[in-house]
Amino acid sequence: MIRFVLRQNLFVPIRLALTLFDFPYTVSTSGLRITPAIAPTTSSCSHDSKSVCTMSTSAHIKSRCPEYPASKTKRFPVSDFQVDWSQSFQGYNPVNYTHPSVENKPTWADPEIGSFNPQFNSLDGSADRRSFDGCYKVEDGKPLNPHGRTGLMGRGLLGRWGPNHAADPIVTRWKVDAKREKSLHHISKKPILQFVSIKRKDCGEWAIPGGMVDPGENVSLTLQREFSEEALNSLGVSPLERSKIHERITQLFKSPGFEVFKGYVDDPRNTDNAWMETVAVNFHDENGNSVSELPLQAGDDAGQVQWVDVDSSFPLYASHSHLLELVAKQRKSHW
């Protein structure tokens, strides 16, 4: 809480400004107190009226991009102070948008609310509707994004109402010189990591080669499958080459990977009623004799694929930069 002691003639204009910009405040004889609007808060929600869970607060950024991806649909403007559902936002009237690719009822997408009865906050048949962040609220039959308003209702490009689970395999190696020694960054003097990155066809941004977890699929299988299909294009090679690739990949993915992150992702595809969550695992080729030697070749969802230096200056899709920062910290490498 911040307190300002002001001259009496300044109270009215300052109180008016705080009201216009939705800042919560209180006035006392000792001064004007301003309470930060996005301080961590919790709100309880019940599932089957038996358990109580908490809902966290986060001022997501990419989830509020002005124009929704792969469309001309504009989001309703949401300021940092209006993100959390607990904050009053009179006049909030976001457009309800679901991309045609989802409205066409593919097998991986839910029907519209009202035509089926999803069991939110639970394992609903083969669809896992549980969030890594705990219980989320359901209002008028629709789940509410646990990290707040996005300026858009519906599902957008996402198939599931509520959490849409993905898996991101972060495959790394050490950058080496001609003598096969680790290359050190000229400023930080720390060894440089490289990771396998794909250039997404849908938006042209570089990203970790991840993908959606199929219904009922083990996340470890998703990690291996997505890396094989997106970074090595194992689907487009001869049976003999595919066998060699599978052997190398299996060897790497059997190693104890480092779980980098598990939870909500600040993703431009997120809406008020559907959002991305992921499990990101780092598989590191320490000696450079596993996947490091395999030729990279882009799969169906990737325009290009290559080894990229792990560096804070390299722009990446969604929250992938944050994931790589966590990897660099764990591996004690340059960032």
Side-chain angles (χ1 to χ4, degrees):
M1 180 178 292
I2 305 169
R3 187 181 72 177
F4 294 97
V5 179
L6 302 169
R7 293 196 305 271
Q8 188 66 32
N9 63 339
L10 294 179
F11 269 96
V12 173
I14 289 179
R15 289 176 64 181
L16 177 59
L18 293 175
T19 302
L20 288 174
F21 286 96
D22 243 355
F23 281 95
Y25 66 90
T26 58
V27 179
S28 70
T29 55
S30 60
L32 184 69
R33 291 180 172 87
I34 301 175
T35 305
I38 40 180
T41 62
T42 59
S43 58
S44 62
C45 59
S46 61
H47 179 227
D48 293 338
S49 302
K50 296 179 181 178
S51 61
V52 176
C53 313
T54 59
M55 186 167 69
S56 62
T57 298
S58 173
H60 40 194
I61 305 301
K62 294 190 177 183
S63 299
R64 292 179 286 151
C65 57
E67 186 173 284
Y68 192 82
S71 76
K72 298 296 182 182
T73 304
K74 304 294 183 182
R75 292 183 187 268
F76 194 94
V78 179
S79 72
D80 290 347
F81 306 102
Q82 298 164 326
V83 170
D84 193 87
W85 294 109
S86 65
Q87 298 299 321
S88 175
F89 191 176
Q90 294 184 357
Y92 182 60
N93 186 29
V95 65
N96 191 333
Y97 174 73
T98 298
H99 193 271
S101 63
V102 178
E103 288 185 327
N104 288 338
K105 302 179 180 179
T107 56
W108 46 266
D110 287 334
E112 285 297 318
I113 295 293
S115 62
F116 82 129
N117 184 32
Q119 302 301 305
F120 293 119
N121 289 302
S122 65
L123 186 60
D124 185 14
S126 61
D128 192 350
R129 303 189 189 278
R130 297 169 296 183
S131 170
F132 292 131
D133 284 3
C135 184
Y136 50 88
K137 287 185 175 181
V138 178
E139 189 174 277
D140 297 327
K142 295 180 180 179
L144 287 183
N145 189 314
H147 285 251
R149 300 180 178 95
T150 66
L152 193 81
M153 294 193 303
R155 282 175 291 165
L157 287 162
L158 301 179
R160 300 287 185 195
W161 294 99
N164 288 254
H165 295 289
D168 292 313
I170 306 174
V171 176
T172 57
R173 70 179 183 184
W174 293 113
K175 186 176 184 178
V176 297
D177 57 23
K179 296 181 180 180
R180 306 293 296 174
E181 299 290 335
K182 291 179 183 178
S183 297
L184 303 182
H185 192 267
H186 67 286
I187 296 177
S188 68
K189 305 303 179 185
K190 292 183 177 181
I192 301 172
L193 270 180
Q194 293 184 315
F195 77 104
V196 175
S197 180
I198 63 166
K199 191 170 187 179
R200 294 175 61 102
K201 288 182 179 179
D202 56 357
C203 62
E205 294 184 89
W206 288 94
I208 297 165
M212 306 305 295
V213 179
D214 289 341
E217 183 179 38
N218 188 289
V219 172
S220 61
L221 294 178
T222 306
L223 291 163
Q224 183 170 335
R225 170 175 57 80
E226 288 297 329
F227 182 77
S228 299
E229 292 180 5
E230 289 200 9
L232 299 175
N233 195 16
S234 61
L235 300 179
V237 298
S238 68
L240 179 60
E241 286 298 314
R242 189 182 306 171
S243 176
K244 292 179 180 179
I245 290 174
H246 180 74
E247 184 178 347
R248 294 280 188 95
I249 293 294
T250 301
Q251 178 186 350
L252 178 68
F253 279 74
K254 277 186 177 179
S255 65
F258 159 56
E259 186 176 282
V260 180
F261 176 82
K262 181 166 68 174
Y264 178 92
V265 178
D266 183 21
D267 191 290
R269 294 169 292 180
N270 291 348
T271 74
D272 286 0
N273 310 118
W275 59 90
M276 288 296 302
E277 298 192 9
T278 194
V279 176
V281 181
N282 175 217
F283 296 96
H284 183 60
D285 186 2
E286 177 67 28
N287 300 316
N289 56 9
S290 181
V291 295
S292 298
E293 300 174 349
L294 290 174
L296 299 180
Q297 185 178 356
D300 290 341
D301 296 330
Q304 301 176 44
V305 58
Q306 64 186 44
W307 288 99
V308 174
D309 291 355
V310 174
D311 190 286
S312 60
S313 64
F314 190 73
L316 289 170
Y317 178 77
S319 59
H320 290 187
S321 289
H322 176 61
L323 301 181
L324 284 170
E325 182 181 6
L326 296 175
V327 172
K329 183 178 180 180
Q330 174 70 18
R331 301 290 175 190
K332 297 178 172 58
S333 68
H334 168 71
W335 172 246

